């Protein structure tokens, strides 16, 4: 099943580690996308949001320092917020599991199971 799933992952994040464990317990070995080590492009963030079916503000971590320093808010235009998420990936919620054209924000981590086929 490797290659079918991509987990946006931070090894320091307990929710990311739990999502990975849940997937592995079900025989799924996802490709790991580590946005903090390799920041995504604006196009990659846009594609991720399309797969999630969510606006950028739904996946922005408002408590991150960058969010405050950049003076982002609910009034920030979508395109500007997407650019900020790409440039400052710490602001991007995680984990996120991508399966083809679909994705799920795994908060709580058990939400990764929504994208798996029947057991």
């Amino acid at each position: 099943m490797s290659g079918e799933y991509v987990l946006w992952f931070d090894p320091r994040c307990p929710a990311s580690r739990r999502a990975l464990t849940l997937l592995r317990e079900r025989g799924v070995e996802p490709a790991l996308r580590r946005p903090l080590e390799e920041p995504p492009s604006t196009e990659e963030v846009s594609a991720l949001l399309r797969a999630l079916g969510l606006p950028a503000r739904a996946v922005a971590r408002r408590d991150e320092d960058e969010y405050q320093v950049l003076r982002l808010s609910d009034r920030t235009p979508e395109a500007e917020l997407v650019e900020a998420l790409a440039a400052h990936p710490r602001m991007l919620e995680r984990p996120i599991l991508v399966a083809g054209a679909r994705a799920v924000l795994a908060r709580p981590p058990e939400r990764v199971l929504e994208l798996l086929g029947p057991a």
Side-chain angles (χ1 to χ4, degrees):
M1 285 189 161
S2 183
E4 293 180 37
Y5 298 96
V6 177
L7 183 64
W8 287 55
F9 177 81
D10 175 7
R12 295 169 298 208
C13 169
S16 289
R17 292 192 309 268
R18 175 75 179 133
L20 182 57
T21 297
L22 286 167
L23 291 168
R24 287 178 171 164
E25 285 173 350
R26 284 153 183 84
V28 174
E29 186 59 44
L32 298 181
R33 175 67 173 88
R34 298 175 188 240
L36 300 181
E37 295 172 19
E38 289 184 42
S41 66
T42 302
E43 294 78 20
E44 195 176 3
V45 172
S46 294
L48 181 65
L49 293 170
R50 281 192 303 277
L52 286 165
L54 295 172
R57 54 190 46 72
V59 298
R61 298 172 64 150
R62 297 165 192 232
D63 58 342
E64 288 295 333
D65 292 340
E66 291 93 337
Y67 193 91
Q68 304 303 319
V69 168
L70 294 171
R71 302 182 64 118
L72 301 173
S73 73
D74 287 340
R75 293 188 307 258
T76 302
E78 180 78 1
E80 187 178 325
L81 192 49
V82 168
E83 288 178 21
L85 290 171
H88 304 276
R90 276 182 21 148
M91 291 190 308
L92 187 62
E93 280 287 1
R94 52 200 175 272
I96 296 173
L97 182 64
V98 179
R102 297 175 47 216
V104 65
L105 175 57
R107 289 283 184 176
E110 290 74 16
R111 291 208 56 213
V112 296
L113 304 177
E114 294 175 15
L115 292 184
L116 302 185

mmCIF file of all heavy atoms in Angstrom, residues 1-3 6 9-10 12 15 21 29-30 32 34 38 47 60-62 68 76 79 88-89 96-97 108 111 116:
data_model
loop_
_atom_site.group_PDB
_atom_site.id
_atom_site.type_symbol
_atom_site.label_atom_id
_atom_site.label_comp_id
_atom_site.label_asym_id
_atom_site.label_seq_id
_atom_site.Cartn_x
_atom_site.Cartn_y
_atom_site.Cartn_z
ATOM 1 N N MET A 1 0.805 -1.205 0.000
ATOM 2 C CA MET A 1 0.000 0.000 0.000
ATOM 3 C C MET A 1 0.843 1.262 0.000
ATOM 4 O O MET A 1 0.297 2.341 -0.028
ATOM 5 C CB MET A 1 -0.920 0.018 1.220
ATOM 6 C CG MET A 1 -2.086 -0.890 1.120
ATOM 7 S SD MET A 1 -3.197 -0.556 2.505
ATOM 8 C CE MET A 1 -4.659 -1.297 1.852
ATOM 9 N N SER A 2 2.139 1.126 0.054
ATOM 10 C CA SER A 2 3.007 2.293 0.068
ATOM 11 C C SER A 2 2.817 3.089 -1.215
ATOM 12 O O SER A 2 2.643 2.534 -2.286
ATOM 13 C CB SER A 2 4.466 1.863 0.203
ATOM 14 O OG SER A 2 5.273 3.006 0.277
ATOM 15 N N GLY A 3 2.843 4.412 -1.104
ATOM 16 C CA GLY A 3 2.680 5.263 -2.259
ATOM 17 C C GLY A 3 1.238 5.687 -2.483
ATOM 18 O O GLY A 3 0.985 6.661 -3.152
ATOM 19 N N VAL A 6 -0.097 9.670 1.546
ATOM 20 C CA VAL A 6 0.968 10.585 1.941
ATOM 21 C C VAL A 6 0.518 11.241 3.243
ATOM 22 O O VAL A 6 -0.558 11.844 3.301
ATOM 23 C CB VAL A 6 1.234 11.661 0.871
ATOM 24 C CG1 VAL A 6 2.300 12.644 1.357
ATOM 25 C CG2 VAL A 6 1.635 11.020 -0.449
ATOM 26 N N PHE A 9 3.560 15.177 8.075
ATOM 27 C CA PHE A 9 4.003 14.608 9.330
ATOM 28 C C PHE A 9 5.082 15.453 9.984
ATOM 29 O O PHE A 9 5.951 16.003 9.313
ATOM 30 C CB PHE A 9 4.555 13.207 8.986
ATOM 31 C CG PHE A 9 5.141 12.441 10.115
ATOM 32 C CD1 PHE A 9 4.333 11.751 11.003
ATOM 33 C CD2 PHE A 9 6.511 12.362 10.279
ATOM 34 C CE1 PHE A 9 4.877 11.004 12.035
ATOM 35 C CE2 PHE A 9 7.069 11.627 11.312
ATOM 36 C CZ PHE A 9 6.242 10.944 12.190
ATOM 37 N N ASP A 10 5.031 15.538 11.311
ATOM 38 C CA ASP A 10 6.088 16.157 12.108
ATOM 39 C C ASP A 10 6.423 15.160 13.216
ATOM 40 O O ASP A 10 5.580 14.880 14.062
ATOM 41 C CB ASP A 10 5.609 17.479 12.705
ATOM 42 C CG ASP A 10 6.626 18.112 13.638
ATOM 43 O OD1 ASP A 10 7.768 17.607 13.747
ATOM 44 O OD2 ASP A 10 6.277 19.123 14.281
ATOM 45 N N ARG A 12 7.937 15.389 15.882
ATOM 46 C CA ARG A 12 7.844 15.920 17.246
ATOM 47 C C ARG A 12 6.401 16.084 17.708
ATOM 48 O O ARG A 12 6.158 16.373 18.874
ATOM 49 C CB ARG A 12 8.561 17.266 17.337
ATOM 50 C CG ARG A 12 10.066 17.135 17.104
ATOM 51 C CD ARG A 12 10.667 18.492 16.948
ATOM 52 N NE ARG A 12 10.039 19.095 15.758
ATOM 53 C CZ ARG A 12 10.602 19.997 14.986
ATOM 54 N NH1 ARG A 12 11.790 20.454 15.272
ATOM 55 N NH2 ARG A 12 9.985 20.474 13.930
ATOM 56 N N ALA A 15 0.282 13.990 17.768
ATOM 57 C CA ALA A 15 -0.830 13.622 16.884
ATOM 58 C C ALA A 15 -0.304 12.996 15.593
ATOM 59 O O ALA A 15 -0.889 12.026 15.088
ATOM 60 C CB ALA A 15 -1.699 14.839 16.579
ATOM 61 N N THR A 21 1.096 5.604 13.643
ATOM 62 C CA THR A 21 0.900 4.316 14.320
ATOM 63 C C THR A 21 -0.412 3.676 13.896
ATOM 64 O O THR A 21 -0.470 2.470 13.588
ATOM 65 C CB THR A 21 0.931 4.498 15.851
ATOM 66 O OG1 THR A 21 2.231 4.981 16.208
ATOM 67 C CG2 THR A 21 0.651 3.202 16.574
ATOM 68 N N GLU A 29 1.692 1.811 5.025
ATOM 69 C CA GLU A 29 2.963 2.505 5.226
ATOM 70 C C GLU A 29 2.954 3.735 4.313
ATOM 71 O O GLU A 29 3.302 3.650 3.134
ATOM 72 C CB GLU A 29 4.141 1.594 4.892
ATOM 73 C CG GLU A 29 5.493 2.199 5.212
ATOM 74 C CD GLU A 29 5.672 2.562 6.690
ATOM 75 O OE1 GLU A 29 5.291 1.761 7.569
ATOM 76 O OE2 GLU A 29 6.189 3.660 6.967
ATOM 77 N N PRO A 30 2.522 4.862 4.846
ATOM 78 C CA PRO A 30 2.414 6.051 3.997
ATOM 79 C C PRO A 30 3.780 6.655 3.687
ATOM 80 O O PRO A 30 4.737 6.490 4.444
ATOM 81 C CB PRO A 30 1.600 7.012 4.861
ATOM 82 C CG PRO A 30 2.000 6.645 6.260
ATOM 83 C CD PRO A 30 2.166 5.144 6.238
ATOM 84 N N LEU A 32 5.982 9.768 3.876
ATOM 85 C CA LEU A 32 5.958 10.860 4.852
ATOM 86 C C LEU A 32 6.376 12.151 4.181
ATOM 87 O O LEU A 32 7.444 12.240 3.582
ATOM 88 C CB LEU A 32 6.878 10.556 6.035
ATOM 89 C CG LEU A 32 6.513 9.328 6.863
ATOM 90 C CD1 LEU A 32 7.493 9.156 8.017
ATOM 91 C CD2 LEU A 32 5.080 9.411 7.371
ATOM 92 N N ARG A 34 7.336 15.814 5.072
ATOM 93 C CA ARG A 34 7.777 16.580 6.242
ATOM 94 C C ARG A 34 7.898 18.058 5.867
ATOM 95 O O ARG A 34 8.979 18.524 5.502
ATOM 96 C CB ARG A 34 9.097 16.035 6.751
ATOM 97 C CG ARG A 34 8.975 14.584 7.217
ATOM 98 C CD ARG A 34 10.321 14.020 7.611
ATOM 99 N NE ARG A 34 10.226 12.610 7.874
ATOM 100 C CZ ARG A 34 10.514 12.045 9.038
ATOM 101 N NH1 ARG A 34 10.915 12.788 10.047
ATOM 102 N NH2 ARG A 34 10.401 10.755 9.195
ATOM 103 N N GLU A 38 11.102 20.313 4.461
ATOM 104 C CA GLU A 38 11.030 20.711 3.054
ATOM 105 C C GLU A 38 9.744 21.492 2.860
ATOM 106 O O GLU A 38 8.695 20.893 2.616
ATOM 107 C CB GLU A 38 11.037 19.499 2.136
ATOM 108 C CG GLU A 38 12.356 18.775 2.057
ATOM 109 C CD GLU A 38 12.293 17.642 1.061
ATOM 110 O OE1 GLU A 38 11.713 17.823 -0.024
ATOM 111 O OE2 GLU A 38 12.828 16.571 1.370
ATOM 112 N N ALA A 47 -3.117 22.707 -3.695
ATOM 113 C CA ALA A 47 -3.604 21.373 -4.034
ATOM 114 C C ALA A 47 -4.062 20.632 -2.774
ATOM 115 O O ALA A 47 -5.082 19.924 -2.792
ATOM 116 C CB ALA A 47 -2.524 20.584 -4.767
ATOM 117 N N ALA A 60 -4.856 26.697 9.345
ATOM 118 C CA ALA A 60 -3.823 27.591 9.877
ATOM 119 C C ALA A 60 -3.815 27.512 11.399
ATOM 120 O O ALA A 60 -4.855 27.613 12.045
ATOM 121 C CB ALA A 60 -4.080 29.028 9.429
ATOM 122 N N ARG A 61 -2.634 27.309 11.938
ATOM 123 C CA ARG A 61 -2.459 27.280 13.394
ATOM 124 C C ARG A 61 -2.290 28.717 13.876
ATOM 125 O O ARG A 61 -1.204 29.282 13.810
ATOM 126 C CB ARG A 61 -1.256 26.428 13.750
ATOM 127 C CG ARG A 61 -1.421 24.981 13.300
ATOM 128 C CD ARG A 61 -0.145 24.216 13.483
ATOM 129 N NE ARG A 61 0.158 24.152 14.901
ATOM 130 C CZ ARG A 61 0.803 23.162 15.482
ATOM 131 N NH1 ARG A 61 1.234 22.151 14.761
ATOM 132 N NH2 ARG A 61 1.035 23.178 16.772
ATOM 133 N N ARG A 62 -3.360 29.263 14.385
ATOM 134 C CA ARG A 62 -3.381 30.674 14.776
ATOM 135 C C ARG A 62 -2.521 30.978 15.984
ATOM 136 O O ARG A 62 -2.185 32.131 16.228
ATOM 137 C CB ARG A 62 -4.824 31.098 15.027
ATOM 138 C CG ARG A 62 -5.668 30.996 13.782
ATOM 139 C CD ARG A 62 -7.136 31.058 14.099
ATOM 140 N NE ARG A 62 -7.885 30.679 12.917
ATOM 141 C CZ ARG A 62 -8.856 31.387 12.412
ATOM 142 N NH1 ARG A 62 -9.225 32.511 12.988
ATOM 143 N NH2 ARG A 62 -9.477 30.974 11.336
ATOM 144 N N GLN A 68 1.007 35.446 14.263
ATOM 145 C CA GLN A 68 0.885 36.742 14.933
ATOM 146 C C GLN A 68 1.832 37.774 14.322
ATOM 147 O O GLN A 68 1.430 38.916 14.069
ATOM 148 C CB GLN A 68 1.170 36.593 16.435
ATOM 149 C CG GLN A 68 0.306 35.575 17.145
ATOM 150 C CD GLN A 68 -1.179 35.840 17.000
ATOM 151 O OE1 GLN A 68 -1.607 36.980 17.073
ATOM 152 N NE2 GLN A 68 -1.952 34.797 16.787
ATOM 153 N N THR A 76 -7.601 38.152 6.301
ATOM 154 C CA THR A 76 -6.501 37.970 5.366
ATOM 155 C C THR A 76 -7.024 37.265 4.114
ATOM 156 O O THR A 76 -7.691 36.232 4.218
ATOM 157 C CB THR A 76 -5.376 37.119 6.000
ATOM 158 O OG1 THR A 76 -4.933 37.767 7.199
ATOM 159 C CG2 THR A 76 -4.206 36.945 5.049
ATOM 160 N N ALA A 79 -5.477 33.920 -0.882
ATOM 161 C CA ALA A 79 -4.205 33.756 -1.597
ATOM 162 C C ALA A 79 -3.019 34.161 -0.717
ATOM 163 O O ALA A 79 -1.974 33.501 -0.732
ATOM 164 C CB ALA A 79 -4.212 34.575 -2.887
ATOM 165 N N HIS A 88 5.790 29.544 5.711
ATOM 166 C CA HIS A 88 5.944 29.283 7.151
ATOM 167 C C HIS A 88 5.141 28.032 7.513
ATOM 168 O O HIS A 88 4.085 28.119 8.153
ATOM 169 C CB HIS A 88 5.459 30.486 7.972
ATOM 170 C CG HIS A 88 6.132 31.761 7.606
ATOM 171 N ND1 HIS A 88 7.348 32.132 8.127
ATOM 172 C CD2 HIS A 88 5.765 32.750 6.746
ATOM 173 C CE1 HIS A 88 7.702 33.297 7.617
ATOM 174 N NE2 HIS A 88 6.764 33.693 6.775
ATOM 175 N N PRO A 89 5.626 26.855 7.117
ATOM 176 C CA PRO A 89 4.843 25.631 7.289
ATOM 177 C C PRO A 89 4.553 25.237 8.741
ATOM 178 O O PRO A 89 3.688 24.392 8.972
ATOM 179 C CB PRO A 89 5.665 24.570 6.571
ATOM 180 C CG PRO A 89 7.041 25.112 6.499
ATOM 181 C CD PRO A 89 6.898 26.607 6.449
ATOM 182 N N ILE A 96 -1.919 15.571 8.301
ATOM 183 C CA ILE A 96 -2.886 15.541 7.213
ATOM 184 C C ILE A 96 -2.563 14.304 6.393
ATOM 185 O O ILE A 96 -1.407 14.076 6.023
ATOM 186 C CB ILE A 96 -2.797 16.794 6.331
ATOM 187 C CG1 ILE A 96 -3.158 18.042 7.153
ATOM 188 C CG2 ILE A 96 -3.696 16.653 5.104
ATOM 189 C CD1 ILE A 96 -2.942 19.354 6.429
ATOM 190 N N LEU A 97 -3.569 13.493 6.108
ATOM 191 C CA LEU A 97 -3.384 12.314 5.269
ATOM 192 C C LEU A 97 -3.999 12.595 3.911
ATOM 193 O O LEU A 97 -5.152 13.014 3.816
ATOM 194 C CB LEU A 97 -4.040 11.077 5.889
ATOM 195 C CG LEU A 97 -3.855 9.787 5.092
ATOM 196 C CD1 LEU A 97 -2.379 9.376 5.022
ATOM 197 C CD2 LEU A 97 -4.699 8.665 5.680
ATOM 198 N N PRO A 108 -8.976 14.709 15.528
ATOM 199 C CA PRO A 108 -7.980 13.865 16.182
ATOM 200 C C PRO A 108 -7.329 12.901 15.189
ATOM 201 O O PRO A 108 -7.860 12.680 14.091
ATOM 202 C CB PRO A 108 -8.797 13.106 17.241
ATOM 203 C CG PRO A 108 -10.160 13.004 16.651
ATOM 204 C CD PRO A 108 -10.351 14.297 15.879
ATOM 205 N N ARG A 111 -8.912 10.306 12.658
ATOM 206 C CA ARG A 111 -9.559 10.699 11.396
ATOM 207 C C ARG A 111 -8.834 10.136 10.175
ATOM 208 O O ARG A 111 -9.430 10.077 9.101
ATOM 209 C CB ARG A 111 -9.659 12.221 11.300
ATOM 210 C CG ARG A 111 -10.656 12.770 12.310
ATOM 211 C CD ARG A 111 -11.315 14.039 11.910
ATOM 212 N NE ARG A 111 -11.994 13.957 10.641
ATOM 213 C CZ ARG A 111 -12.088 14.980 9.803
ATOM 214 N NH1 ARG A 111 -11.551 16.138 10.084
ATOM 215 N NH2 ARG A 111 -12.740 14.839 8.650
ATOM 216 N N LEU A 116 -9.184 5.229 4.702
ATOM 217 C CA LEU A 116 -8.832 3.836 4.432
ATOM 218 C C LEU A 116 -10.067 3.099 3.943
ATOM 219 O O LEU A 116 -11.182 3.390 4.358
ATOM 220 C CB LEU A 116 -8.286 3.157 5.689
ATOM 221 C CG LEU A 116 -7.061 3.782 6.339
ATOM 222 C CD1 LEU A 116 -6.589 2.905 7.492
ATOM 223 C CD2 LEU A 116 -5.936 3.992 5.346
#
